[in-house]
């Protein structure tokens, strides 16, 4: 009986903690959005965040999608050959990368790189009283720290995903032409002709949502960081884990929406 | 000028402030002493609006600070944080001129840099430090830059949170003297919180002893050494035995 009560207490505590966390994230999100439309705007911080989140993530996104495109070409060829459909490799790679893998891989890689770095930076600012210092210097930390990063990530991710899409398709193209004996011209024509505008748009919209999630989670966990190095470490881990899960969950919901 | 009336604040079950009453006159330098965790920093944060008291009133020039406009209110304050709280991503002069580069006090970049260099000179730092980053500074230099940032817009009220913590005695003496000189020459009202009795003697006009969330003793610094209050005596003499229980 006691063990049962303890089990219910544990489940209850976890449920309440989860509800509290969802509520806190929702409040944080609404405060961030309310500051997006109200001046002052910190353009320099936005551009700096755009450079860090967007430009400096290009290598990691490029390499990830390049290798994924290549591996996908081999897998689809191998699977397709079982029912004599090897020729669909360019089309399946194009649609798979543009609608799904490009934005999701970009989101996950940026979650690992950027969400962690935002949480660590903002968390360190919190524990070293730099956020309190911002307030005493008449600067709203949400406006100065959260808004530029969230906006920059929302703008940067679709651009990164677009670049990732092209590189991913080129990864498939390189393997298709060099290893699977596809004709270069036919491969490119099949990839391009098969894609519709909606495939591209839906992928880019997903990427924008993932960008918003990545930066929001980084800022939220950074600003909620506990004192000390372990507090910042926990904030960083939580930022990466929560943004990755939210990216995958929202990916399913968005896919249902665009289906 | 600043008055706290029965200010109370609890974090969960921890009652940090249990009814603080204190008054600071214009141009006066009040030093608040007390052990770690007695609520000194929370008290300053309540005045700055960083922490909202559970009850009680804080008045600035006789007006309740809850009615004050955030930016205009905060523009009257400067603060030197315990570890200086310099922004790592900005260099020294940009830290000092932070308020001069944005918001209502915004000036052209060149003018803001000029003012920052002047404030750095005032705290004993040459122009060669202006383009360094906080990670390249020693503890004493960080405090000086924090002090320069606190006085950059010549605020009416300056708060110092443990200004000599982590400094060697000579550097602590230099920072104490600087604080005293700057507060005097600006005619600013100052509230300092510290454990360092050398700081108290160098900086204070008035001293208040905070213990267990209430002011146990308040009076002019010259009366501090002769005051009979047992809490104050134990603190300034650094005795392990006395009414303040210390964990061993």
């Amino acid at each position: 009986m006691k063990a049962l009560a303890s089990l219910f207490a544990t489940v209850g505590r976890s449920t309440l903690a989860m509800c509290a966390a969802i509520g806190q994230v929702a409040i944080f999100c609404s405060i961030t959005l309310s500051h997006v439309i109200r001046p002052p705007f910190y353009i320099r911080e936005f551009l700096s965040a755009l450079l860090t989140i967007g430009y400096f993530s290009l290598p990691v996104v490029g390499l990830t999608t390049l290798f994924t495109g290549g591996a996908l070409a081999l897998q689809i060829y191998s699977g397709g050959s079982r029912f004599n459909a090897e020729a669909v490799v360019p089309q399946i790679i194009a649609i798979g990368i543009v609608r799904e893998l490009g934005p999701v891989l970009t989101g996950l890689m940026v979650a690992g790189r950027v969400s962690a770095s935002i949480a660590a930076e903002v968390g360190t600012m919190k524990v070293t009283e730099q956020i309190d210092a911002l307030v005493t210097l008449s600067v709203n930390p949400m406006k100065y720290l959260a808004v530029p990063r969230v906006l920059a990530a929302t703008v940067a991710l679709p651009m990164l995903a677009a670049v990732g899409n092209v590189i991913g398709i080129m990864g498939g193209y390189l393997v298709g032409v060099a290893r699977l004996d596809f004709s270069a011209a036919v491969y490119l024509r099949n990839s391009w002709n098969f894609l519709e505008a909606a495939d591209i748009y839906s992928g880019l919209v997903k990427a924008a949502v993932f960008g918003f999630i990545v930066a929001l989670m980084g800022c939220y966990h950074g600003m909620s960081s506990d004192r000390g190095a372990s507090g910042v470490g926990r904030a960083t881990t939580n930022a990466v884990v929560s943004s990755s899960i939210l990216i995958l969950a929202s990916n399913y919901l968005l896919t249902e929406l665009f289906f | 000028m600043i008055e706290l009336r029965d200010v109370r604040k609890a974090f969960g079950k921890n009652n940090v402030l249990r009814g603080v009453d204190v008054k600071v006159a214009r141009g006066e330098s009040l030093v608040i002493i007390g052990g770690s965790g007695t609520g000194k920093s929370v008290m300053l944060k309540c005045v700055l609006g960083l922490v909202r008291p559970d009850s009680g009133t804080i008045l600035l020039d006789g007006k309740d600070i809850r009615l004050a406009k955030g930016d205009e209110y905060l523009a009257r304050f400067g603060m030197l944080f315990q570890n200086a709280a310099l922004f790592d991503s900005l260099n020294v002069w940009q830290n000092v001129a932070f308020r001069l580069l944005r918001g209502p006090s915004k000036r052209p970049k060149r003018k803001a840099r000029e003012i920052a260099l002047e404030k750095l000179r005032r705290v004993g730092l040459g122009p060669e430090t202006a383009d360094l980053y906080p990670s390249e500074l020693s503890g004493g230099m960080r405090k000086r830059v924090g002090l320069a940032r606190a006085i950059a817009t010549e605020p009416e009220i300056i708060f110092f949170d443990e200004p000599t913590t982590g400094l060697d005695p000579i550097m602590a003496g230099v920072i104490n003297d600087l604080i005293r000189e700057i507060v005097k020459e600006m005619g600013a009202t100052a509230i300092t919180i510290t454990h360092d009795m050398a700081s108290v003697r160098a900086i204070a006009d008035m001293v208040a002893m905070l213990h267990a969330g209430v002011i146990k003793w308040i009076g002019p610094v010259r009366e501090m050494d002769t005051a009979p209050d047992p809490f104050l005596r134990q603190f300034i003499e650094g005795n392990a035995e006395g009414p303040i229980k210390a964990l061993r």
Side-chain angles (χ1 to χ4, degrees):
Chain A
M1 192 63 195
K2 204 172 175 184
L4 196 65
S6 163
L7 178 72
F8 279 126
T10 309
V11 172
R13 252 196 314 274
S14 310
T15 311
L16 284 175
M18 196 176 75
C19 291
I22 292 170
Q24 281 163 2
V25 170
I27 291 169
F28 189 86
C29 180
S30 62
I31 294 173
T32 306
L33 288 175
S34 76
H35 282 296
V36 168
I37 47 171
R38 283 184 292 159
F41 305 111
Y42 295 103
I43 307 293
R44 184 183 288 266
E45 276 65 35
F46 168 73
L47 294 175
S48 162
L50 199 58
L51 189 72
T52 314
I53 298 169
Y55 183 71
F56 292 134
S57 296
L58 271 174
V60 72
V61 168
L63 285 171
T64 310
T65 48
L66 179 75
F67 291 125
T68 305
L72 209 55
L74 294 174
Q75 296 283 23
I76 294 166
Y77 186 86
S78 157
S81 63
R82 291 176 200 169
F83 43 94
N84 298 322
E86 299 94 332
V88 296
V89 168
Q91 292 91 329
I92 302 291
I93 286 186
I95 201 161
I97 293 274
V98 168
R99 288 184 73 125
E100 192 67 28
L101 286 172
V104 171
L105 286 176
T106 303
L108 290 176
M109 295 314 288
V110 174
R113 207 187 84 82
V114 172
S115 196
S117 111
I118 292 177
E121 186 185 3
V122 175
T124 306
M125 287 185 77
K126 188 183 175 202
V127 300
T128 56
E129 294 185 303
Q130 291 177 51
I131 291 185
D132 284 346
L134 279 176
V135 177
T136 64
L137 293 164
S138 310
V139 168
N140 186 316
M142 293 296 289
K143 267 194 196 310
Y144 187 75
L145 295 174
V147 171
R149 285 165 175 76
V150 170
L151 273 184
T154 310
V155 172
L157 261 278
M159 293 197 265
L160 278 172
V163 175
N165 289 345
V166 174
I167 296 176
I169 291 171
M170 288 319 288
Y173 164 84
L174 289 175
V175 172
V177 171
R179 176 99 165 69
L180 306 173
D181 295 330
F182 276 88
S183 146
V186 172
Y187 189 103
L188 286 179
R189 197 177 54 237
N190 284 350
S191 297
W192 182 247
N193 288 345
F194 189 69
L195 283 178
E196 291 174 10
D199 299 329
I200 298 169
Y201 295 146
S202 68
L204 298 185
V205 169
K206 278 183 180 181
V209 173
F210 300 159
F212 180 81
I213 289 170
V214 162
L216 190 79
M217 287 296 105
C219 293
Y220 169 73
H221 287 288
M223 287 198 182
S224 330
S225 165
D226 294 328
R227 297 239 160 231
S230 63
V232 177
R234 241 189 330 272
T236 309
T237 309
N238 290 342
V240 177
V241 171
S242 60
S243 51
S244 302
I245 291 171
L246 283 175
I247 283 172
L248 295 172
S250 62
N251 178 51
Y252 172 71
L253 293 175
L254 288 167
T255 307
E256 278 282 3
L257 196 71
F258 295 127
F259 191 65
Chain B
M1 184 177 197
I2 304 172
E3 188 177 353
L4 282 79
R5 288 184 191 160
D6 194 30
V7 172
R8 290 167 188 270
K9 178 69 192 175
F11 295 99
K13 289 177 183 168
N14 182 17
N15 288 307
V16 180
L17 302 179
R18 298 163 185 250
V20 171
D21 290 285
V22 71
K23 226 183 224 185
V24 193
R26 185 178 293 275
E28 193 172 73
S29 173
L30 171 74
V31 174
I32 301 165
I33 55 174
S36 301
T38 49
K40 304 188 297 295
S41 293
V42 174
M43 193 180 130
L44 280 195
K45 286 181 178 177
C46 284
V47 178
L48 284 168
L50 294 172
V51 171
R52 187 174 293 178
D54 298 333
S55 64
T57 315
I58 302 171
L59 305 168
L60 179 65
D61 291 335
K63 290 177 194 151
D64 193 326
I65 66 164
R66 281 172 293 196
L67 306 173
K69 281 190 181 171
D71 283 359
E72 283 173 27
Y73 176 72
L74 285 168
R76 301 177 68 178
F77 290 87
M79 175 142 182
L80 171 59
F81 285 84
Q82 192 171 341
N83 293 309
L86 301 178
F87 303 122
D88 302 317
S89 56
L90 304 177
N91 63 25
V92 164
W93 85 262
Q94 288 166 337
N95 262 285
V96 174
F98 191 86
R99 221 177 209 162
L100 304 169
L101 291 168
R102 43 185 74 72
S105 312
K106 189 171 176 173
R107 330 253 157 122
K109 203 171 169 183
R110 185 186 290 180
K111 182 73 188 157
R113 187 179 160 98
E114 260 175 43
I115 296 172
L117 290 180
E118 165 55 23
K119 298 298 174 192
L120 285 170
R121 190 200 57 73
R122 181 64 197 88
V123 298
L125 293 173
E128 68 282 358
T129 54
D131 294 309
L132 297 176
Y133 279 83
S135 57
E136 299 171 278
L137 305 177
S138 67
M141 287 166 89
R142 291 174 72 89
K143 292 274 185 187
R144 286 175 197 248
V145 175
L147 182 55
R149 186 175 71 183
I151 61 170
T153 51
E154 308 203 342
E156 295 165 60
I157 306 153
I158 314 178
F159 289 168
F160 302 97
D161 185 358
E162 309 212 2
T164 55
T165 300
L167 300 181
D168 66 71
I170 297 170
M171 186 51 68
V174 171
I175 296 290
N176 285 336
D177 289 348
L178 262 176
I179 289 175
R180 185 72 198 175
E181 284 166 26
I182 286 170
V183 167
K184 279 281 165 215
E185 84 192 22
M186 286 172 58
T189 305
I191 301 182
T192 307
I193 57 182
T194 187
H195 302 117
D196 178 2
M197 294 314 295
S199 277
V200 178
R201 293 177 212 286
I203 298 171
D205 295 324
M206 294 287 287
V207 180
M209 163 94 191
L210 187 68
H211 178 69
V214 290
I215 300 286
K216 288 282 183 192
W217 183 85
I218 184 162
V221 65
R222 62 180 178 279
E223 290 175 15
M224 181 178 73
D225 289 317
T226 52
D229 183 86
F231 289 92
L232 182 68
R233 295 254 57 79
Q234 185 188 355
F235 191 84
I236 60 179
E237 288 163 12
N239 293 328
E241 302 298 329
I244 303 172
K245 298 288 172 238
L247 286 177
R248 283 170 184 269

